[in-house]
């Protein structure tokens, strides 16, 4: 099996830029191809800023070394034909994913493999016509990938199991935290878990049980404190004297009762969405969203540092 020295980033918006930092920080050579005009000037400056923030946050110390490993390709051929792995992070549109996957396929070296950052499409919806589809899969990050390490590896029906295993190994080697799905499902694991929580949050809000602020507070100052270092199974394992099965015995009936109450109403009621949005805009005017995103990334850096 070839060592992975060079990674091609195809599409370098928010997510592709984070990926470039992940790989360069781990010592890989990174070659970026992005279709937009002035890509090198715009994206280069954004990556420099993100790396400087990492240094300021105490999460890395040699910005120069990271940046020296990143270069911009002349075109897609230049990025892909000399690489060992491709991380595709183009627009989330099925026609774009199909087209860009076929273009990558045409230049892919015989030993290299491909992961798409797609948030929602199964790989089988866009890799079907690729001749190298046995070496292609979804490698779904959380934004921004250089701060949030989780990655979901989702094979298509054609992905060779050893290629999915290689992707997992690569992710671990570059410091990400990999989850391997056995097969495709819309939303993968992360967004399905998030979806279950959002469904209940909207239902409680629509029915007027609590404000959006108090529902957010329940996660921020309650559930979420634990979730930064343990998942739902470990949480309940520690919350009953004899562990998980004991918890299920004590509280399983209560939870299945909730499921019965909610079966009819899993939609996000438009009126509740509008009201929750208005409540959020009172607390955070639209013009302040970007500043709050920077604050979020700063908080993420502090949590990542605390977890080390
Ligand atoms: N933003 C998130 O929270 C998030 C999280 C996880 C996964 N993703 C996924 O990552 C991917 C990228 O998302 P993003 O938020 O970075 O989007 P974005 O719009 O910020 O960036 C997309 C980039 O791809 C470039 N591009 C588009 N078509 C291209 C092509 N054919 N060849 C080369 N470059 C091309 C664009 O110029 C742009 O710079 C999407 O599939 C998205 O679903 C996003």
């Amino acid at each position: 099996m070839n060592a992975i020295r060079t990674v091609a980033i195809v599409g370098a918006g928010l997510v592709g830029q984070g990926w470039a930092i992940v790989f360069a920080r781990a010592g890989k050579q990174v070659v970026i191809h992005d279709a937009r005009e002035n890509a090198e000037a715009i994206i280069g400056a954004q990556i420099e800023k993100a790396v400087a923030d990492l240094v300021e946050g105490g999460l890395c110390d040699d910005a120069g070394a990271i940046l020296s490993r990143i270069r911009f390709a002349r075109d897609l051929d230049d990025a892909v034909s000399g690489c060992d792995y491709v991380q595709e992070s183009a627009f989330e549109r099925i026609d774009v994913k199909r087209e860009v996957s076929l273009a990558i396929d045409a230049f892919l070296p015989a030993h290299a493999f491909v992961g798409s950052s797609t948030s929602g499409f199964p790989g089988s919806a866009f890799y079907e016509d690729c001749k190298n589809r046995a070496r292609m899969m979804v490698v779904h990050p959380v934004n921004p990938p250089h701060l949030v390490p989780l990655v979901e590896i989702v094979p298509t029906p054609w992905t060779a199991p050893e290629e999915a295993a290689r992707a997992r190994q690569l992710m671990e080697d570059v410091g990400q935290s990999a989850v391997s799905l056995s097969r495709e499902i819309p939303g993968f694991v992360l967004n399905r878990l998030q979806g279950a929580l959002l469904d209940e949050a909207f239902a409680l809000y629509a029915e007027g049980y609590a404000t959006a602020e108090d529902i957010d507070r329940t996660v921020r100052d309650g559930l979420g404190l634990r979730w930064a270092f343990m998942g739902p199974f470990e949480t309940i394992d520690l919350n009953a004297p004899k562990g998980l099965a004991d918890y299920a015995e004590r509280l399983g009936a209560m939870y299945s009762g909730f499921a019965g109450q909610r079966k009819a109403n899993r939609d996000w009621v438009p009126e509740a969405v509008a009201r929750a949005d208005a409540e959020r805009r009172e607390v955070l005017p639209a013009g302040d969203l970007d500043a709050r995103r920077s604050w979020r990334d700063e908080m993420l850096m502090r949590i990542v540092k605390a977890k080390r």
Side-chain angles (χ1 to χ4, degrees):
M1 192 184 290
N2 299 58
I4 291 145
R5 296 199 175 81
T6 304
V7 174
I9 302 291
V10 175
L14 279 175
V15 165
Q17 290 169 23
W19 273 123
I21 295 169
V22 166
F23 292 116
R25 182 173 63 186
K28 309 292 179 198
Q29 297 299 319
V30 172
V31 190
I32 295 178
H33 167 65
D34 190 285
R36 70 179 121 144
E37 284 202 15
N38 293 328
E40 181 161 358
I42 298 167
I43 296 166
Q46 286 167 344
I47 291 177
E48 271 183 42
K49 160 90 172 64
V51 173
D53 288 347
L54 281 181
V55 172
E56 203 183 308
L59 288 178
C60 72
D61 40 37
D62 196 348
I66 295 176
L67 297 173
S68 73
R69 288 192 279 267
I70 300 176
R71 80 168 174 90
F72 284 80
R74 289 183 307 278
D75 50 29
L76 184 79
D77 178 357
D78 178 30
V80 172
S81 52
C83 80
D84 305 303
Y85 174 69
V86 181
Q87 184 73 46
E88 174 273 303
S89 307
F91 294 135
E92 185 75 351
R93 274 188 12 219
I94 200 73
D95 57 326
V96 173
K97 294 295 190 200
R98 275 205 193 106
E99 198 187 310
V100 81
S101 301
L102 282 168
I104 291 168
D105 192 44
F107 298 117
L108 195 70
H111 69 283
F113 60 121
V114 181
S116 170
S117 297
T118 178
S119 308
F121 301 128
S124 58
F126 54 90
Y127 285 140
E128 185 165 11
D129 298 330
C130 295
K131 61 181 187 297
N132 294 302
R133 64 189 191 179
R135 288 183 273 130
M136 298 174 151
M137 70 204 86
V138 169
V139 175
H140 172 239
V142 183
N143 191 40
H146 62 290
L147 293 180
V148 186
L150 190 94
V151 177
E152 297 177 284
I153 296 165
V154 192
T156 71
W158 315 295
T159 310
E162 61 272 22
E163 299 296 337
R166 259 175 109 193
R168 184 173 180 126
Q169 187 62 53
L170 171 63
M171 289 301 133
E172 285 169 4
D173 290 348
V174 298
Q176 299 301 93
S177 174
V179 167
S180 299
L181 274 70
S182 62
R183 59 190 189 280
E184 297 181 325
I185 183 172
F188 319 133
V189 172
L190 184 140
N191 277 326
R192 292 187 79 88
L193 290 176
Q194 174 157 257
L197 187 73
L198 279 169
D199 285 350
E200 187 62 32
F202 271 118
L204 288 168
Y205 186 75
E207 291 161 23
Y209 286 101
T211 61
E213 163 57 21
D214 280 1
I215 292 168
D216 272 0
R217 184 185 294 267
T218 307
V219 174
R220 188 172 70 223
D221 295 337
L223 292 167
L225 276 183
R226 289 193 291 240
W227 285 349
F229 57 92
M230 59 166 66
F233 290 128
E234 188 170 3
T235 296
I236 66 168
D237 197 33
L238 303 186
N239 273 359
K242 294 190 194 124
L244 188 147
D246 188 17
Y247 187 96
E249 170 78 30
R250 289 164 190 246
L251 290 167
M254 176 187 83
Y255 287 106
S256 58
F258 300 162
Q261 290 160 14
R262 287 279 177 247
K263 271 189 189 112
N265 186 13
R266 276 293 174 197
D267 290 338
W268 298 0
V269 181
E271 181 278 330
V273 173
R275 208 154 38 82
D277 187 63
E279 193 182 323
R280 284 297 307 157
R281 295 290 70 78
E282 276 280 309
V283 183
L284 185 73
D288 295 347
L289 278 163
D290 270 343
R292 191 73 174 165
R293 287 187 187 110
S294 301
W295 168 84
R296 174 202 62 196
D297 288 352
E298 234 171 79
M299 294 297 285
L300 280 172
M301 281 194 261
R302 288 161 69 174
I303 292 171
V304 169
K305 220 171 144 191
K307 282 183 70 166
R308 279 185 179 174

